Structures are given as C-alpha cells and as structure tokens.
C-alpha cells in the first residue's frame, strides 16, 4: 500500500472515531456503507451516488484510485479496528466506505502533491454534521504539529449545509494543508478530506466542491 493510501487510512480512521464519539440512539434502517458506495458511478468526471442523492464533478485531469486500492484501504481500516478491541470503533469502521479518491499527476517528480478523498459512514446512531466534525477536529489535533488555520464553520454546497475546518501540519513530504468537510444526510455522514501540499490545486478543488448538487 502506497504512502498516499496510508495517509487516507489514517484520515478515515479518525473520522470513524469521530462519529463514534458523537453518536446518540436511533432506530432507522439504512443501506450498508458498502451498498451506498456501490450505488456510486462515474460518467467521465461526473460522479453520481443514487443512495445519497448527489452528483459532483471530480477534479478534472486527476487520476482515480482503482477499486482494488480503495478496497484494500477499507479492509486495512477494518482490520486495524478489529485489532484495537474497541467495539465502538469496530462498528464505525464496519460502516465506513470510500466513495472515490483522486490525485493530480506527479509534478516535478513529486508523486503526491494533493489528494481528494470522498467517503461515507452509515451512522448506526444519529449525529449532526456539527458534532461529527467537532469530534473529528479534536482527534486531528492530537497529531503532533497540527494546528487549526480555520476553525469549525458552515459552508453551503449544493444548497446543503456542511461543517468544515482547516488545519496545517507536516510529514516527511513537507508542509501540507487539509480541509475536513462533512454533512449528515439520510443518517449517513458524507465527508471529504482534501490534502494539499502546494497552492497550485486550490482552484480545481474549489471548482469540484462547488459542482456538488443534491436532488
């Protein structure tokens, strides 16, 4: 598994824990996370997910991760949750799926200069988007050297309210910026984690996010 998949695995794991921390009781039956992911498809750059009722344009010209890469990520996520012995975490991981991941072509020998990740967690207990993202922020800040550059705020994408926050941090690849964006829809958390190592991809990322449309 490449470094970019390992990075997203850590982000998905954080989001799983976040949902577990902020959940309360519910009784509504929903499709599984696997079924929600299976309801998604691409027509060129246009992604459509019929279970969640939304479409969006993935970043143009970026390369998509294969189904096998995404499946390997999900399997590793669930395996680590099982090894943790934490029942709440195991439940959260079992209900999380990757919808798609994309990254731009390598630039000047740099194999990872941005990563656009979209995922879903089917919530077995309800949570608001605000609580989901707040718990997520608290966990992200446990990572050494990470600082908030824009605290939790609301943004509207496709006429739907999302909660978001931005951070900065560093790895052996250098300084990065991350945006965490999430909303709860049909008792599932739809989330985006966007990692940027420079500012050359900002415009295309914004264009992709603004293309989101809900039916």
């Amino acid at each position: 598994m490449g470094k970019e998949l390992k990075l997203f695995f850590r982000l998905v794991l954080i989001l799983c824990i976040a949902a577990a921390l902020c959940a309360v009781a519910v009784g509504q039956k929903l499709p599984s996370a696997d079924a929600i992911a299976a309801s998604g498809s691409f027509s060129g750059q246009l992604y459509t997910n019929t279970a969640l009722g939304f479409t969006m344009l993935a970043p143009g010209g970026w390369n998509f991760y294969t189904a096998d890469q995404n499946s390997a990520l999900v399997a590793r996520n669930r395996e680590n949750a099982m090894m943790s012995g934490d029942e709440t975490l195991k439940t959260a991981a079992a209900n999380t799926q990757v919808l798609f991941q994309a990254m731009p072509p390598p630039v000047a020998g740099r194999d990872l200069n941005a990563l656009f990740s979209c995922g879903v967690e089917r919530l077995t207990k309800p949570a608001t988007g605000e609580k989901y993202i707040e718990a997520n922020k608290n966990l992200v800040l446990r990572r050494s050297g990470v600082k908030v550059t824009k605290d939790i705020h609301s943004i509207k994408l496709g006429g739907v309210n999302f909660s978001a926050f931005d951070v900065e941090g560093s790895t052996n690849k250098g300084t990065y910026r991350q945006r965490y964006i999430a909303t709860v829809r049909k008792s599932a958390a739809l989330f985006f984690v966007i990692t940027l190592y420079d500012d050359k991809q900002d415009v295309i990322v914004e264009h992709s996010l603004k293309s989101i449309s809900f039916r």
Side-chain angles (χ1 to χ4, degrees):
M1 182 178 294
K3 290 182 179 178
E4 61 273 12
L5 281 177
K6 292 178 181 177
L7 173 62
F8 185 62
F9 159 71
R10 291 197 297 271
L11 302 179
V12 170
L13 187 60
I14 286 170
L15 286 162
C16 286
I17 299 170
L21 289 175
C22 66
V24 293
V26 72
Q28 183 180 1
K29 285 189 175 181
L30 296 164
S32 67
D34 294 352
I36 293 172
S39 76
S41 61
F42 274 101
S43 176
Q45 296 294 126
L46 181 66
Y47 175 79
T48 300
N49 189 286
T50 56
L52 295 179
F54 84 99
T55 62
M56 69 178 296
L57 292 171
W62 288 27
N63 300 320
F64 294 104
Y65 283 66
T66 67
D68 286 345
Q69 286 176 309
N70 290 333
S71 294
L73 170 63
V74 171
R76 180 67 63 88
N77 186 26
R78 294 175 181 177
E79 179 183 346
N80 279 269
M82 290 293 292
M83 292 173 61
S84 74
D86 186 321
E87 293 300 323
T88 304
L89 179 55
K90 286 192 283 186
T91 299
N95 286 287
T96 297
Q97 258 290 358
V98 175
L99 298 185
F100 67 86
Q101 296 184 89
M103 63 183 294
V107 176
R110 194 175 201 173
D111 62 343
L112 177 63
N113 51 54
L115 181 63
F116 191 109
S117 303
C118 178
V120 64
E121 181 178 346
R122 190 206 66 182
L123 302 176
T124 57
K125 301 176 182 180
T128 64
E130 292 84 355
K131 288 183 178 180
Y132 190 91
I133 209 74
E134 181 179 5
N136 178 38
K137 186 193 84 168
N138 292 336
L139 288 165
V140 169
L141 291 179
R142 294 181 186 178
R143 303 204 312 256
S144 177
V146 176
K147 66 177 182 179
V148 173
T149 55
K150 188 171 184 178
D151 212 344
I152 296 173
H153 57 284
S154 294
I155 58 175
K156 188 162 285 191
L157 300 172
V160 170
N161 289 325
F162 283 73
S163 295
F165 69 93
D166 299 355
V167 299
E168 285 184 354
S170 61
T171 67
N172 58 358
K173 287 183 174 289
T175 301
Y176 64 85
R177 292 172 292 129
Q178 278 181 334
R179 299 185 65 190
Y180 292 78
I181 306 171
T183 190
V184 173
R185 183 170 176 81
K186 298 184 179 181
S187 296
L190 170 64
F191 62 83
F192 300 91
V193 182
I194 301 159
T195 305
L196 299 163
Y197 284 90
D198 57 46
D199 60 4
K200 294 181 177 62
Q201 308 297 335
D202 288 41
V203 171
I204 195 168
V205 166
E206 288 301 321
H207 178 74
S208 183
L209 290 172
K210 289 178 180 178
S211 74
I212 294 174
S213 176
F214 291 89
R215 67 166 186 267

